[in-house]
Amino acid sequence: MKPLKIAVAGLGTVGAGLVKLLSDNAGIIAARAGRPIVVTAISARDRNRDRGIVIGADVAWYDDAAQMAAKADADVIVEVIGGSEGIARQVVETAIARGLHVVTANKALLAHHGVALAQAAEAKGVALGFEAAVAGGIPIIKALKEGLAGNSLSRVTGILNGTCNYILTTMRETGRDFADVLAEAQALGYAEADPSFDIDGVDAAHKLSILTSLAFATPVDFASMYVEGIRHVSAVDIDFADKLGYRIKLLGIAQATDHGIEQRVHPCMVPVTTPIATVDGVFNAVVAEGDFVGRSIYEGRGAGAGPTASAVAADIIDIARGNRSPVFGVPVGALAAKGIAAMERRQGAYYMRLMVLDRPGVLADVAQALRAEGVSVEQMIQPGRAPGETVPMVMTLHDTVEADMNRAVARIAALDAVVEPPRLIRIEHM
């Protein structure tokens, strides 16, 4: 059959990985796709850089990715440049306008412009594939769109950022603090020189906004996301979590509630007995809960050349086979806003660590502040005594409404004996 022609915009880690995968596995890919898949055009800034791949003389090279999208002899444009605006957006919009299929690994682009791009692709009758945009090599997009299509989903939870998971895992295993482990992650290439998108939770939030749309048939709504990163998580908190039978993970959580859809990214304590607590290092995991299937768990490498290229290739093979499905699982016109549940209405358990002066009456004052807002203590740890000195006071608190918890924390922070801002981490019993 006629080969499917691919043009690749971006030849970094993922782009080079894709070219290698399509070359190394050309035979099995052609058998599974029902036709050969060939790279006919590439765009990258540096033609002379050694990327460890062979680019044939018959492959057209473009210095301008947008020009490639407009002119290349291709059936599919693969965008692996990244970024929500600029050249990446221009490449995708140009390709769709030409009537070309698009495959992208760009979660930021989809988080900010996903609905508009889906609408444009639908109008042109072309595919917009993005398996690689969420959780790398884990086929979670296909799972939500196809494997779980017969279910009404109630909740999707995930470890969606490998950098944060590596940092939290290493802190737990070594007892080192955040800044030290972050520097190591940067040296090893697990974290960017500017790690803000990762450690402040933005990358995970981009991915969660996509999963929320797929799970609940709602428009992508990144702007309504509650986002909190891991900068404030200390080795002290991780050690106390271990003593209490928990692991700290940065989770993305989307769930249906009586008040609308919750979308939140923040550090959580999860019981050590739950499967997601054992997902360590740079690995990702997603847990989906449906009315008929129950709970299903997906785990794998969330980034890197091989896993991400594998996900891109899966979308390309679907296009070669002629498989088509709505971009977000249902036609754009069927995406319905279901309302956003305010973070203040979240109800659940909490961990709280206070640094207090060790003197009589402090515990009674803290208890009074909690009681005033209807917050009850499940258990407490106060290791050792140091009269007149600063000591930690750690509590886990029964299920409480977030707004009540925040008011209680404000009361506690105002106490003279509390010498640092209270540290609060939500507990998720999965």
Side-chain angles (χ1 to χ4, degrees):
M1 292 182 66
K2 181 181 176 182
L4 185 75
K5 294 177 284 189
I6 310 298
V8 181
L11 207 58
T13 300
V14 177
L18 175 65
V19 171
K20 178 175 172 57
L21 183 152
L22 293 176
S23 173
D24 289 359
N25 291 350
I28 195 168
I29 288 172
R32 290 172 175 168
R35 59 198 291 197
I37 294 175
V38 297
V39 176
T40 57
I42 284 174
S43 175
R45 286 193 294 265
D46 185 355
R47 299 190 184 207
N48 299 316
R49 178 181 160 197
D50 181 7
R51 297 173 173 88
I53 56 175
V54 177
I55 299 173
D58 56 340
V59 176
W61 191 290
Y62 291 83
D63 295 318
D64 184 342
Q67 185 183 48
M68 184 187 75
K71 297 182 178 180
D73 177 23
D75 304 304
V76 181
I77 299 293
V78 175
E79 183 275 307
V80 284
I81 298 169
S84 63
E85 304 295 339
I87 190 66
R89 182 179 178 186
Q90 187 179 354
V91 164
V92 172
E93 290 178 340
T94 300
I96 291 172
R98 271 188 73 193
L100 302 181
H101 303 294
V102 172
V103 175
T104 180
N106 193 336
K107 63 268 183 181
L109 180 67
L110 293 162
H112 289 282
H113 307 293
V115 173
L117 293 174
Q119 199 164 28
E122 197 173 285
K124 280 290 187 178
V126 298
L128 174 58
F130 53 90
E131 185 66 69
V134 180
I138 303 173
I140 190 60
I141 304 302
K142 187 176 284 288
L144 294 178
K145 287 174 70 172
E146 300 177 17
L148 301 178
N151 286 260
S152 175
L153 298 179
S154 58
R155 179 176 167 115
V156 176
T157 306
I159 295 172
L160 301 173
N161 184 273
T163 298
C164 288
N165 206 40
Y166 171 83
I167 290 170
L168 293 173
T169 299
T170 304
M171 287 174 68
R172 187 188 81 239
E173 291 176 345
T174 65
R176 291 150 57 202
D177 229 324
F178 173 80
D180 185 30
V181 177
L182 172 60
E184 176 185 275
Q186 289 172 313
L188 293 171
Y190 294 147
E192 302 289 342
D194 179 1
S196 301
F197 259 46
D198 291 320
I199 64 175
D200 291 335
V202 178
D203 175 80
H206 284 153
K207 296 168 183 174
L208 183 65
S209 69
I210 296 167
L211 296 181
T212 303
S213 180
L214 288 163
F216 301 109
T218 63
V220 180
D221 188 7
F222 173 74
S224 298
M225 184 88 59
Y226 174 83
V227 185
E228 178 187 326
I230 65 168
R231 290 178 190 265
H232 64 76
V233 178
S234 73
V236 172
D237 295 318
I238 288 176
D239 183 55
F240 277 120
D242 190 58
K243 288 180 170 64
L244 292 164
Y246 294 104
R247 296 276 188 270
I248 298 179
K249 300 291 182 182
L250 181 74
L251 295 184
I253 300 168
Q255 66 179 1
T257 75
D258 293 339
H259 311 297
I261 304 296
E262 279 189 1
Q263 285 192 112
R264 47 192 173 95
V265 171
H266 52 77
C268 296
M269 286 192 180
V270 295
V272 294
T273 54
T274 58
I276 209 165
T278 64
V279 178
D280 286 335
V282 296
F283 279 76
N284 283 194
V286 179
V287 181
E289 299 179 35
D291 54 351
F292 277 76
V293 75
R295 180 175 294 170
S296 54
I297 303 170
Y298 309 82
E299 179 185 351
R301 294 187 178 275
T308 311
S310 174
V312 172
D315 281 337
I316 294 171
I317 291 168
D318 264 351
I319 292 169
R321 289 168 171 166
N323 294 347
R324 300 285 185 276
S325 62
V327 176
F328 290 106
V330 299
V332 173
L335 294 173
K338 296 178 173 62
I340 296 297
M343 190 62 186
E344 289 75 18
R345 304 187 83 157
R346 181 260 178 188
Q347 188 160 357
Y350 295 84
Y351 157 96
M352 181 173 66
R353 176 175 58 84
L354 308 175
M355 297 304 294
V356 301
L357 294 175
D358 188 1
R359 66 189 190 195
V362 174
L363 179 57
D365 291 342
V366 171
Q368 172 57 33
L370 293 171
R371 184 166 54 250
E373 299 300 338
V375 179
S376 63
V377 176
E378 179 186 37
Q379 60 180 316
M380 188 187 85
I381 301 175
Q382 189 172 12
R385 289 291 314 280
E389 301 295 324
T390 300
V391 295
M393 179 186 294
V394 171
M395 299 177 177
T396 58
L397 307 162
H398 288 292
D399 282 10
T400 304
V401 175
E402 179 100 0
D404 296 339
M405 190 69 240
N406 288 340
R407 287 193 295 270
V409 167
R411 288 176 180 269
I412 291 167
L415 297 174
D416 289 342
V418 177
V419 299
E420 293 181 8
R423 182 62 58 216
L424 202 68
I425 299 177
R426 298 165 190 88
I427 297 173
E428 293 290 330
H429 291 287
M430 301 174 62

